[in-house]
Amino acid sequence: MLFDTHAHLNADQYNDDLQEVIDRALSEGVTHMVVVGFDRPTIQRAMELTEAYDFIYACVGWHPVDAIDMTDNDLAWIEELASHPKVVAIGEMGLDYYWDKSPKEVQQEVFRKQIRLAKRVKLPIVIHNREATADIVEILKEEGAEEVGGIMHCFSGSPETAKECIKMNFSISLGGPVTFKNAKKPKEVAAEVPLEKLLIETDCPYLAPHPYRGKRNEPAYVKLVAEQIAEIKGLTMEEVAKVTTQNAKKIFGIN
């Protein structure tokens, strides 16, 4: 009973073998997946997947790298989709200071608009953070994001930052990097954050866990993330799978 809380099965990388990818996930015990749309085409595809598969849910929002492309119409469309019974979160949103396509001030404005939208529609938010931790924490506080809470997706920060986010009603999601031999911070986070505040994800097709590092990722591999966290915490994989699935269902409002 595994829950991949962040997958991009709407990516072109799965155009040729999507059904086989989904079948492999089911055979590894993945019972739920959230597919994340972050611009017009990927949101549209995420919605199509939720209609086609009863165990797939959608998260819809606008990626910070593409913030400069977002219009008021796009924002209104996301708000409209939020009422769909299988849309369980708004995102991924946040800040990305690694890529310079969208100026920082534009990213911050689009981030704030989406937090406000999430508060209006009463859905949790999914945060993308790349090299922007201080600004993200500040904006979450200023916008009162704890009212809806959400997920720090593919968390790469320190245990201290994780604890600060938990205080703001956010859970910490770990993916493939926790399995990398040289990944000190994610392993420390897995050790220190209580299991009740952890989630697991793949972020597929990116960030495949060891021993698939560098290859295309897929939801079946979320099991490897659960196994690594179990090893770090001295638990069974089944315990980690059960609790992280319960955590995800609670955040996303899935019965």
Side-chain angles (χ1 to χ4, degrees), residues 2 110 243:
L2 294 154
V110 165
V243 177

Side-chain angles (χ1 to χ4, degrees), residues 175-188:
V178 76
T179 70
F180 299 168
K181 289 184 167 57
N182 58 351
K184 192 162 162 260
K185 272 190 192 169
K187 291 185 197 301
E188 287 173 357

Side-chain angles (χ1 to χ4, degrees), residues 15 64 126 145 183 223:
N15 285 351
V126 174
K223 188 176 186 178

Side-chain angles (χ1 to χ4, degrees), residues 17-234:
D17 64 345
L18 178 65
Q19 190 56 53
E20 289 95 321
V21 168
I22 288 172
D23 290 342
R24 279 195 291 274
L26 297 174
S27 71
E28 286 294 345
V30 180
T31 55
H32 299 77
M33 307 174 209
V34 169
V35 172
V36 180
F38 54 81
D39 61 13
R40 283 245 165 202
T42 58
I43 289 171
Q44 190 62 52
R45 183 76 181 116
M47 297 307 297
E48 288 165 7
L49 288 168
T50 67
E51 301 290 349
Y53 298 94
D54 59 359
F55 48 85
I56 291 180
Y57 297 82
C59 169
V60 297
W62 211 266
H63 200 286
V65 170
D66 300 316
I68 198 163
D69 301 325
M70 194 187 81
T71 66
D72 289 342
N73 282 345
D74 294 324
L75 200 67
W77 182 51
I78 290 166
E79 187 156 355
E80 193 184 309
L81 290 174
S83 63
H84 189 287
K86 291 190 81 182
V87 170
V88 293
I90 304 298
E92 60 188 281
M93 65 175 80
L95 303 173
D96 191 313
Y97 293 170
Y98 178 80
W99 301 105
D100 60 2
K101 180 186 168 186
S102 296
K104 289 181 182 179
E105 58 275 16
V106 175
Q107 291 190 37
Q108 291 171 12
E109 186 55 32
V110 165
F111 185 20
R112 289 179 189 276
K113 283 178 176 176
Q114 291 186 87
I115 295 171
R116 291 166 196 165
L117 185 161
K119 288 166 73 175
R120 287 196 298 276
V121 300
K122 297 181 168 50
L123 283 177
I125 59 178
V126 174
I127 304 298
H128 171 100
N129 170 19
R130 193 159 184 193
E131 299 182 7
T133 302
D135 285 357
I136 279 182
V137 169
E138 187 181 347
I139 288 170
L140 290 174
K141 285 179 177 168
E142 286 174 3
E143 294 294 335
E146 70 182 70
E147 185 185 311
V148 288
I151 299 169
M152 306 306 290
H153 139 67
C154 208
F155 188 78
S156 59
S158 66
E160 292 70 35
T161 303
K163 286 167 188 168
E164 198 174 351
C165 294
I166 289 166
K167 279 185 196 153
M168 292 190 292
N169 194 23
F170 282 82
S171 291
I172 305 300
S173 186
L174 296 174
V178 76
T179 70
F180 299 168
K181 289 184 167 57
N182 58 351
K184 192 162 162 260
K185 272 190 192 169
K187 291 185 197 301
E188 287 173 357
V189 167
E192 292 194 33
V193 170
L195 189 57
E196 290 66 38
K197 287 293 175 184
L198 283 179
L199 300 167
I200 55 176
E201 64 168 272
T202 56
D203 197 22
C204 64
Y206 318 106
L207 296 173
H210 177 79
Y212 301 104
R213 191 172 182 179
K215 296 186 167 70
R216 183 188 71 171
N217 200 0
E218 57 179 75
Y221 300 165
V222 78
K223 188 176 186 178
L224 297 167
V225 177
E227 285 171 350
Q228 180 66 67
I229 293 170
E231 189 179 314
I232 290 167
K233 286 194 166 296

Side-chain angles (χ1 to χ4, degrees), residues 195 200 226 229-230 235-245:
L195 189 57
I200 55 176
I229 293 170
L235 300 167
T236 65
M237 195 282 290
E238 289 73 20
E239 286 173 295
V240 171
K242 183 183 173 194
V243 177
T244 54
T245 295

